[in-house]
Amino acid sequence: MNILLVSAEYAPLAKVGGLADAVAGLAGALAARGHDVRVVLPAYGAIVDRAAEAGFRPAGGPPLALRTGTVFRRAAWLERPRATRGPRLYLLDAPEVFAGDIYDRAGGPPLALERAALLAQAALLLPQRLGWPVDIVHAHDAHAALVPVCRRLWFDAAVLPEAAISVLTIHNLAHQEIHPLDALAALGLPATALAYPGLLEFHGLANLMKGAIVAADTVNTVSPTYATETVAGAEFGCGLEGALAARGAAYRGILNGADYRSWNPRADRALPAPFSAAAIAGREHCRVALRRELGLVDVAPGRLLCGFVGRLVAQKGVELLLPLLERLAEDGLGFALLGSGDGALEERLRALADAHPGSIAFVRGFDDALARRIYGGSDLFLMPSLFEPCGLGQMYALRYGAAPIVRRTGGLADTVVDAALPDGDGFVFDDARPDALLAALRRAEALWSDRSGWAALQQRGMRRLFDWDRSAADYELMYTQAAVAGQAAGRGGHVRG
Ligand code: ADP
């Protein structure tokens, strides 16, 4: 099949969180299964230098003139000579709109909307420009959500040359891109798309994610449990539970995989020593080195070191951890915490780390190499998320030998097996309360003192396989089913083998 993925992130070039890893992992796995995979990503100001170093150059051909309402924006494609098989990346270079960072806060909602509109138009025009008959146009998350919407509107108006199937993958339903109706009308979308019960109308506003849920030929999210949670009610559905439920069998959960070519402790150059499940000795070196690197001198060699890597936002359950940190540090446990986000959370972590410098280390920022050393040098990995569409941190922690402690929600429930079960590889708790997290930590401490029991748990975790190839096969099936349904409904859908 000819498959076009559209995303705001793509690892390693443009990464804020798991979206980047997930889209890159899926693209690679689909390409390895023989598909012609192309990916559209904005050339943000913050990444253009890195992109140039990586060999991206302006593509030939006439400049792109993209229109958002009455405003024309000049844009161009950046490409690199194709060195290997695998996905081909096209960077949309529109400096007036994509200057700055991946999620530019200064520009506010109007900029986010213009970015979404430009990305969708450019992506939908790319196949024609390449003379490449696309079968599947696959949008990821709200930033790309105008892709299925515009495809539906444009296809109905016979503007798109090819009758491609459109797909939406929801990586996080909490980010929907909600804008005033008149801001969307100004993009030139027909009034019917904005009027109740139109594609985009949402309680008197316009909701890009909702539009894509309605317009896409098929929709999925990134774990079976999160799919169930999001249709069950507003707590996880964030107001879109009805729209999702209305899609019936055309909405499903497909678990993300982990890209073990990148996340492999045997060949990870960020680690001070290589190791694997079969040759674990190097891991002890990583544990000691991490303590030294972060100045965790008060953590006795025999005590647990707990790691955390993630965006510091309410979703990640940092509020459950904060009230426990001081007491646990005084008990002799150590903490290696890496993240950035909410300023108040950053400040509280900073204060705790300042008060207990030998036991609590907090590094503010984004640091991929340190993240890898935390996965490889911690004994436990904390992921007490309030909700988690899939979560990749726990998968990486398992492979790198840090037993995850997770809340039973979304993809965490689908990937971590509690130590109480025969094939357990981590610790799972239910209630979103600090005492529930503390009880799980105490269970971990108890098992930690049983060295052979801990080693067996760790071995099981390191040998778990979250295989992108299996997930890509599920996506293939979803594409094919959507194409068959599209043909039956007279909406095109021609899928090459
Ligand atoms: P989310 O997508 O909600 O951010 P995931 O667990 O799916 O959460 O993915 C997070 C990814 O981002 C992981 O690869 C994690 O290692 C990485 N990550 C998050 N925060 C940081 C950080 N501050 N520094 C380095 N890597 C980070």
Side-chain angles (χ1 to χ4, degrees):
M1 297 182 208
N2 290 344
I3 303 167
L4 182 67
L5 305 184
V6 187
S7 171
E9 296 185 40
Y10 194 81
L13 198 55
K15 172 166 170 172
V16 172
L19 174 64
D21 291 20
V23 179
L26 175 62
L30 287 168
R33 292 177 68 84
H35 301 293
D36 185 346
V37 182
R38 322 252 175 140
V39 183
V40 167
L41 174 79
Y44 306 102
I47 70 162
V48 285
D49 287 349
R50 228 176 316 140
E53 275 166 35
F56 283 89
R57 300 282 177 270
L64 270 172
L66 300 175
R67 194 157 63 100
T68 48
T70 53
V71 182
F72 280 91
R73 298 291 195 191
R74 282 174 62 83
W77 289 107
L78 305 180
E79 261 189 278
R80 65 181 153 188
R82 196 169 191 204
T84 52
R85 290 154 60 87
R88 295 182 73 156
L89 199 48
Y90 297 85
L91 302 183
L92 176 61
D93 188 22
E96 292 160 304
V97 179
F98 292 106
D101 227 326
I102 300 179
Y103 304 115
D104 189 309
R105 293 209 179 83
L111 180 64
L113 182 59
E114 184 169 10
R115 285 181 163 195
L118 232 58
L119 183 64
Q121 281 182 62
L124 289 167
L125 292 169
L126 182 65
Q128 188 183 28
R129 187 181 176 98
L130 297 175
W132 179 65
V134 68
D135 299 305
I136 306 293
V137 181
H138 187 162
H140 293 267
D141 259 353
H143 332 97
L146 280 176
V147 170
V149 172
C150 292
R151 197 221 53 103
R152 176 58 55 88
L153 297 172
W154 289 5
F155 173 64
D156 290 349
V159 174
L160 252 196
E162 290 288 335
I165 286 298
S166 73
V167 180
L168 169 71
T169 295
I170 299 169
H171 296 261
N172 195 335
L173 198 55
H175 301 291
Q176 299 180 2
E177 288 295 334
I178 299 174
H179 297 270
L181 284 173
D182 52 2
L184 250 89
L187 296 183
L189 290 168
T192 48
L194 303 166
Y196 182 83
L199 284 179
L200 292 149
E201 194 279 340
F202 181 74
H203 304 297
L205 296 163
N207 183 327
L208 303 195
M209 190 73 110
K210 185 217 161 194
I213 290 169
V214 175
D217 291 296
T218 189
V219 182
N220 80 299
T221 188
V222 287
S223 72
T225 295
Y226 191 62
T228 308
E229 289 170 342
T230 45
V231 290
E235 185 191 351
F236 296 100
C238 307
L240 293 181
E241 56 279 4
L244 289 168
R247 295 306 313 258
Y251 176 53
R252 69 186 81 188
I254 300 177
L255 194 68
N256 283 336
D259 185 348
Y260 295 117
R261 286 167 309 176
S262 166
W263 295 93
N264 173 12
R266 216 169 40 180
D268 190 331
R269 279 184 294 174
L271 297 179
F275 64 89
S276 65
I280 192 86
R283 192 168 201 281
E284 183 56 26
H285 187 74
C286 294
R287 290 180 71 233
V288 172
L290 180 66
R291 283 160 201 243
R292 199 179 315 121
E293 175 179 355
L294 297 178
L296 293 169
V297 292
D298 295 340
V299 186
R303 297 312 299 272
L304 281 168
L305 179 63
C306 308
F308 172 91
V309 177
R311 296 179 294 113
L312 294 175
V313 292
Q315 176 195 339
K316 297 295 172 182
V318 189
E319 290 284 359
L320 306 189
L321 181 63
L322 279 164
L324 307 176
L325 275 177
E326 195 136 44
R327 171 160 32 136
L328 292 168
E330 280 159 12
D331 281 358
L333 273 73
F335 292 89
L337 314 169
L338 167 65
S340 66
D342 181 285
L345 288 176
E346 289 178 358
E347 235 162 73
R348 286 162 73 191
L349 286 170
R350 163 69 43 231
L352 283 161
D354 286 349
H356 301 273
S359 318
I360 303 174
F362 169 53
V363 178
R364 184 189 161 279
F366 187 93
D367 184 338
D368 183 64
L370 177 57
R372 290 163 183 273
R373 289 195 291 279
I374 291 177
Y375 292 122
S378 304
D379 307 305
L380 280 175
F381 185 73
L382 303 164
M383 219 159 151
S385 306
L386 304 184
F387 70 93
E388 196 58 77
C390 177
L392 294 172
Q394 81 281 14
M395 296 186 191
Y396 302 151
L398 283 167
R399 177 51 59 110
Y400 280 58
I405 292 200
V406 302
R407 258 200 81 229
R408 195 187 312 279
T409 184
L412 299 175
D414 293 336
T415 52
V416 179
V417 182
D418 189 80
L421 297 167
D423 55 346
D425 52 23
F427 301 87
V428 185
F429 66 98
D430 287 280
D431 295 337
R433 292 201 322 263
D435 59 339
L437 170 59
L438 182 62
L441 272 160
R442 294 300 185 211
R443 286 200 293 130
E445 281 189 284
L447 188 66
W448 175 250
S449 58
D450 162 13
R451 303 307 299 202
S452 65
W454 186 272
L457 174 106
Q458 188 184 48
Q459 282 290 321
R460 286 192 294 271
M462 293 182 77
R463 292 172 195 274
R464 289 288 300 280
L465 190 63
F466 298 102
D467 188 6
W468 258 122
D469 185 56
R470 189 216 55 224
S471 304
D474 290 345
Y475 276 95
E476 243 171 54
L477 180 66
M478 179 171 76
Y479 296 156
T480 309
Q481 287 172 343
V484 170
Q487 268 161 358
R491 280 206 319 273
H494 61 294
V495 169
R496 264 163 279 274

